[in-house]
Amino acid sequence: MQDNATEVTAAGIARMAGVGRAAVSNWRRRHADFPRPVGGTETSPSFALAEVESWLRKQGKLAEVPLRERVWQQLSGHPDGPVTALTHAGCVLLLIHDRPPVWLELGAGSDERLAEMLPGALREVFTPRFGPESAQPVPQAVNTPGPASAPAADPPTAVNAVHSPSPASPRPAVHTPTSTELLPSVPLLRGVAELAAELGARQTFEFLLGRHLDANPRQYTLTPADLAGLMADLAGPARTVLDPACGTGALLRAAATRPDQKLHAQDSAPELAALTTLRLALHTWSTVRGATGDTLRADAHPQLRADAVLCHPPFNERNWGHDELAYDPRWEYGFPARTESELAWVQHALARLKDGGAGVLLMPPAAASRRSGRRIRADLLRRGALRAVIALPVGAAPPYNIPLHLWALRRPEKAPAQPEVLLVDVGQFAGEGRGGPDWRAVREAVLDAWQAFGRPGRFTERPGLARALPVIELLDDDVDLAPARHLPPPAAADGAEQLTSVRELLGETLRLTAGLTPPRADTAHPARWPLTTIGELARGGALMLRTGGNGGHARVPVLTDHDVLSGTGPSGTLPESDEEAVLTAPGDVVVPVLGGGSVARVIDTTTAGAALGRNLVLLRPDPAAVDAWFLAGFLRGTANNRQASSYASTATRLDVRRLQLPRLPLDEQRRYGQRFRTLDEFERALRHAGRLGEQLVRGMYDGLTDGTVAPD
């Protein structure tokens, strides 16, 4: 009965059956017995999962729903919303993780008995893990029903889906759900337990949470794992760690390295605070104290003095509490202006640190130079509280088009006699694609400079990269802390010789490009070939079609859509997931599906082995049936792409299955393929020449303006 309450959309049906959404629409039109909608809207209906599953199996379109997919569909179609479902799943997974025999005993009974007995079992787990407050249900007096999928900026759903705390009263993030609240989730919880037996409790929660985050990308601001690891390393080993704007918990997960730690988390979004608290408990045996509430207005940990504070605060918040917090004791370094919310977070972090404790905050670059914050920056420098400002490469974290900063803090035990601040700029390690910077180079450069700065003795300056500057040199009218404005330029003794080398290489590339220029095109009558589609070839076994987007467990380079468009090597990253990554192999053809460009790339030995990124489709042709270069060449036809594309108000999406190919014998395919391959070599030579030309022009401008290149 309860299972029928789970609903699934047309997109979910397509995922279950391994087809496109257009196929689902066709089934609805052609089959009178296709299940009727039970919810949703006229343009986006939803269907009962059990009815859809039965129909697909009866039609022979589905032998059995994969367990992962079934559990996900139950979660996403839960009658109380996916956040409630995911939280209930997390509660049970923690019970399975901590006390598996208890779950086995409870799961053997009826659904009603399971729902009745679960709260008591959960209280026994929650009390030692989260504190005694979590063992109580949320008081019903504060219930504020709201949509389950509301954006994070709106009053969101709490652990049992309908509770939203007052901003003036922080509350524990996790509460024991009641039997009534758990009953609709029982079929899901049984499926979750079955999946946990296959994957493990932690991996099951990570899989479901990752799916939820991917399905709602605009609601959540994620901190990349590489950046979180760097921030935790800068803070150093810590027994007590606080993240006052915890989001999805990436920073505390990076810092959780030992079982005797105490992790403190708070977030203004109740659903995030609850999910993160459960996530941390499954990730570590550390004590976790999660809370929900507006940290600046309603601090849940006012007595805490932590060893480390890690924080990715919200940026550019005007409504952060400026008017009501004017006399707050946390403003030791000055009262932040209304436009300086980030400096309020900096001072909150310092106020929650013990003497000598370390804090690391991700900051917008404007916070280092805005005139409205110069007095607070000056006092942070004078008293030795601000130890380092590190400029990251573009693409390190959202918003990805801005080079963000890290501020390394230390709560001063006493004012230093001659304070210094470390300025680091690792912007040179930005990646060419949207996959992010070269994190290995960033990490090595930052940590080497930070460790050298912390050792006694004079810091060795690294031109263009790092410099330890006496605070007195920064205390002018602006107190501008942007590292690029204070670092000496890189040593340019070999600048002219390097430019000469670039010029020679450009000349060789241009000569090669001229040799690859296609011959004069002969006029021919338009061909009238019999055509087939990619979808037909895939169904016939002439090629295999796969979509990207899963990171898997192994950390391998990721080929992004930008890499394919620009012809560069794999530059991206994907979060670790339990779904196997799609790895490229020589002879594969990769096609971007967003943006409206006519692009297809044949994978060679240098790109093989990379994981397939998001918004990419991989075609793996059978060499005995389809030539890879013939396939890639015809897929790039403008008219072909136009007829296979759909258009929204802001984007163009390519349906790869609708792309067409002529039916030609393999020998004829290879003739065309050889010509397409020559065109590809010409295109790559042009790109390389363009990059060398840009490098030469930029180097000449820099050399002429900094005096390292003579004008004649």
Side-chain angles (χ1 to χ4, degrees), residues 561 565 592-598 615 645-647 650-654:
D561 53 348
L565 293 169
V593 296
L594 291 182
S598 301
N615 302 319
S645 296
S646 57
Y647 304 93
T650 58
T652 302
R653 186 170 189 89
L654 181 68

Side-chain angles (χ1 to χ4, degrees), residues 295-564:
T295 297
L296 294 181
R297 290 187 175 92
D299 183 12
H301 310 287
Q303 306 306 317
L304 179 65
R305 294 299 177 266
D307 297 311
V309 174
L310 302 173
C311 188
H312 178 174
F315 297 160
N316 303 318
E317 290 283 326
R318 294 299 182 99
N319 185 27
W320 59 267
H322 177 270
D323 294 338
E324 59 264 50
L325 298 175
Y327 300 102
D328 195 288
R330 288 174 290 184
W331 316 143
E332 294 182 50
Y333 302 88
F335 180 40
R338 190 182 303 277
T339 56
E340 294 287 356
S341 62
E342 296 86 7
L343 293 183
W345 286 99
V346 166
Q347 295 192 74
H348 173 82
L350 286 166
R352 294 296 159 262
L353 286 170
K354 70 177 186 181
D355 289 347
V360 183
L361 277 75
L362 185 66
M363 301 283 280
S369 56
R370 281 189 297 238
R371 288 188 62 80
S372 54
R374 64 189 186 279
R375 293 190 178 183
I376 294 177
R377 293 196 299 271
D379 208 28
L380 289 169
L381 291 172
R382 286 192 196 97
R383 296 169 62 178
L386 180 57
R387 301 292 290 141
V389 176
I390 300 162
L392 297 170
V394 171
Y400 289 106
N401 59 331
I402 298 175
L404 301 175
H405 288 180
L406 291 177
W407 284 25
L409 310 172
R410 185 85 63 188
R411 183 168 179 82
E413 300 177 76
K414 60 180 181 179
Q418 294 180 324
E420 288 188 327
V421 64
L422 175 67
L423 301 177
V424 180
D425 188 343
V426 287
Q428 61 186 288
F429 301 120
E432 290 187 13
R434 288 177 291 181
D438 181 348
W439 277 111
R440 178 178 296 180
V442 168
R443 180 186 181 85
E444 290 177 356
V446 170
L447 294 181
D448 284 352
W450 177 243
Q451 291 162 6
F453 180 67
R455 289 193 290 266
R458 186 168 182 82
F459 180 84
T460 302
E461 187 177 281
R462 304 176 187 182
L465 185 64
R467 181 184 186 188
L469 203 63
V471 163
I472 191 67
E473 295 187 25
L474 295 168
L475 297 179
D476 54 15
D477 290 341
D478 295 322
V479 196
D480 190 332
L481 306 182
R485 296 195 173 101
H486 302 284
L487 293 177
D494 298 326
E497 289 78 1
Q498 290 175 354
L499 290 177
T500 300
S501 176
V502 171
R503 184 179 183 280
E504 292 174 354
L505 186 56
L506 174 60
E508 293 175 7
T509 305
L510 289 174
R511 286 190 290 274
L512 174 64
T513 305
L516 292 171
T517 303
R520 183 177 62 86
D522 296 327
T523 304
H525 294 291
R528 293 288 184 263
W529 295 301
L531 298 175
T532 185
T533 66
I534 295 297
E536 291 173 351
L537 291 172
R539 287 191 293 272
L543 57 79
M544 183 177 66
L545 187 149
R546 302 286 299 276
T547 57
N550 297 315
H553 290 293
R555 303 300 293 174
V556 298
V558 176
L559 187 70
T560 69
D561 53 348
H562 186 272
D563 298 331
V564 175

